[in-house]
Amino acid sequence: ETDLDVAMRQSQAEIDRLTVMADDARVAQVAFKTQIQEWKNTLLRGYVAADYAAYHGAFLARREEVDRRLEQLKAAAGALGFPVDGIADLRTRHDALDAAYDEAIKLYRPEDPLSVRAVDTHVRGKDRPLNEAFDKLVAQAKSYAEERRDALRENDLAMSRGIQQTLWISMAIGFAFLFLVAFMALRAIRK
């Protein structure tokens, strides 16, 4: 196995990890959007105790999934040289939003349909800045992955060109040496 083969295999492995990182950012955002949908389901359809338990349980499960995915993303991104400050900030903002949801749900009374308004007023629109932050993170992760992929491919190409150039120079030197040996042999034969 040549140095070029090793370098290309390592580059491809990093490219694969970069692709997964960019995808993981989007998956974390989708989990967040699903969490928000489960919140709305809790309020709209949770007036029956069993439904409330199911929808609010799903909301809490998505919350944990978002946290888990952000932590995984932070670890993977850090290993690939992607700045993790934005991910840590997103996690902090997600925790703050979750605290606001926990506070708001205390106002919910299944027997009082109007309590949904009080809950909604307490947290209305607070998810939007976080979703925009997710959009920004996803765009940054995708851009970083593309830039690193391009740099890795360019590095592999440069290495390949260098090897190719060394091969051509070696062949030229080899032919020159053969020509010199043949010339000297012919000269020796003629004497």
Side-chain angles (χ1 to χ4, degrees):
E1 189 170 42
T2 67
D3 290 343
L4 180 61
D5 292 333
V6 170
M8 290 181 77
R9 191 175 68 252
Q10 289 172 341
S11 292
Q12 187 58 51
E14 185 172 344
I15 288 169
D16 292 345
R17 289 192 310 274
L18 287 162
T19 300
V20 168
M21 180 199 70
D23 290 345
D24 284 349
R26 176 63 72 192
V27 169
Q29 182 180 29
V30 169
F32 174 69
K33 287 182 177 189
T34 304
Q35 176 189 358
I36 300 308
Q37 186 59 50
E38 295 297 350
W39 171 257
K40 292 175 182 179
N41 286 341
T42 300
L43 296 182
L44 293 174
R45 298 181 179 101
Y47 53 87
V48 173
D51 291 341
Y52 177 85
Y55 289 121
H56 194 65
F59 166 77
L60 295 174
R62 292 298 75 73
R63 169 193 286 185
E64 291 175 13
E65 179 185 359
V66 172
D67 288 343
R68 186 180 72 253
R69 289 192 180 281
L70 286 174
E71 284 305 309
Q72 290 170 345
L73 178 61
K74 184 179 171 188
L80 290 166
F82 181 80
V84 296
D85 293 346
I87 300 169
D89 178 60
L90 197 59
R91 176 73 193 276
T92 300
R93 292 170 66 184
H94 182 251
D95 289 345
L97 180 61
D98 288 340
Y101 283 135
D102 290 343
E103 210 41 51
I105 202 67
K106 292 176 183 176
L107 303 173
Y108 184 64
R109 303 285 175 260
E111 68 282 355
D112 178 9
L114 294 179
S115 72
V116 170
R117 290 182 181 174
V119 174
D120 185 54
T121 299
H122 193 72
V123 292
R124 186 177 204 161
K126 290 186 177 184
D127 61 309
R128 288 194 175 136
L130 194 56
N131 192 49
E132 290 169 4
F134 265 110
D135 283 340
K136 184 177 176 183
L137 173 67
V138 168
Q140 289 171 337
K142 183 179 176 186
S143 177
Y144 180 81
E146 288 171 1
E147 289 171 10
R148 283 292 301 143
R149 273 193 294 264
D150 291 346
L152 288 166
R153 287 183 176 135
E154 185 58 39
N155 185 51
D156 289 348
L157 187 58
M159 183 181 242
S160 176
R161 285 183 189 136
I163 290 170
Q164 196 174 41
Q165 188 176 32
T166 301
L167 180 62
W168 284 110
I169 291 170
S170 298
M171 285 175 49
I173 291 171
F175 283 127
F177 181 73
L178 283 173
F179 178 75
L180 180 63
V181 169
F183 176 75
M184 290 176 75
L186 282 174
R187 196 165 169 215
I189 292 173
R190 288 189 182 165
K191 284 187 180 181

